[in-house]
Amino acid sequence: MYSIDNKQFPCSTSLTMKYIGGKWKAVILIHLIKKKRYSELRKELPMVTERTLSLQLKELESDGLITRTVHTNKPPLKVDYALSEFGQTLIPLLKGIAEWGKEAAAKSDQVTIVPC
């Protein structure tokens, strides 16, 4: 049994999903393997609403998986996001999930691959 912030998790898998579960968190994290500005993320993830992206980034930052750097040296304000040291430990898992998805898509006759 695991407990974080008075929330209990029955196993390590459920704890992992607390951090990366949901529709967009893992997708955002894999895009942040390389540091990106907010505007770059918006362009790469057009199907994510601005509100959802902002909320997910705040949660990922709160969980310590990403860092947010604000550059105030000259207008306009620029914000960079990147995986934190803790978040970088997820890279092998994220790449594994992406690879599994490719293999599953290749084996399925119900999946259509649309180039990005």
Side-chain angles (χ1 to χ4, degrees):
M1 183 76 74
Y2 299 86
S3 178
I4 295 179
D5 298 329
N6 295 321
K7 287 179 110 180
Q8 293 194 346
F9 302 89
C11 64
S12 58
T13 302
S14 64
L15 178 62
T16 302
M17 296 311 292
K18 174 247 190 263
Y19 286 105
I20 67 166
K23 188 172 181 179
W24 298 114
K25 282 186 179 178
V27 175
I28 292 167
L29 288 167
I30 203 158
H31 280 266
L32 289 177
I33 287 176
K34 292 184 180 178
K35 179 172 65 172
K36 299 235 176 11
R37 292 213 165 114
Y38 182 83
S39 60
E40 291 175 297
L41 280 173
R42 288 289 303 134
K43 287 177 188 171
E44 291 178 10
L45 303 169
M47 66 293 296
V48 182
T49 66
E50 192 163 337
R51 181 178 188 276
T52 298
L53 180 59
S54 293
L55 289 172
Q56 296 293 279
L57 288 168
K58 286 177 185 174
E59 285 182 27
L60 291 166
E61 183 183 15
S62 175
D63 286 340
L65 295 175
I66 65 171
T67 59
R68 179 179 187 267
T69 305
V70 180
H71 302 279
T72 59
N73 50 351
K74 61 181 178 179
L77 186 76
K78 299 202 182 207
V79 179
D80 289 335
Y81 292 93
L83 294 179
S84 66
E85 191 173 323
F86 179 47
Q88 289 175 17
T89 64
L90 285 169
I91 292 173
L93 175 65
L94 295 167
K95 286 184 175 181
I97 290 170
E99 191 57 39
W100 185 90
K102 288 178 190 174
E103 290 174 15
K107 291 179 182 177
S108 174
D109 59 352
Q110 297 177 355
V111 175
T112 303
I113 300 173
V114 180
C116 298

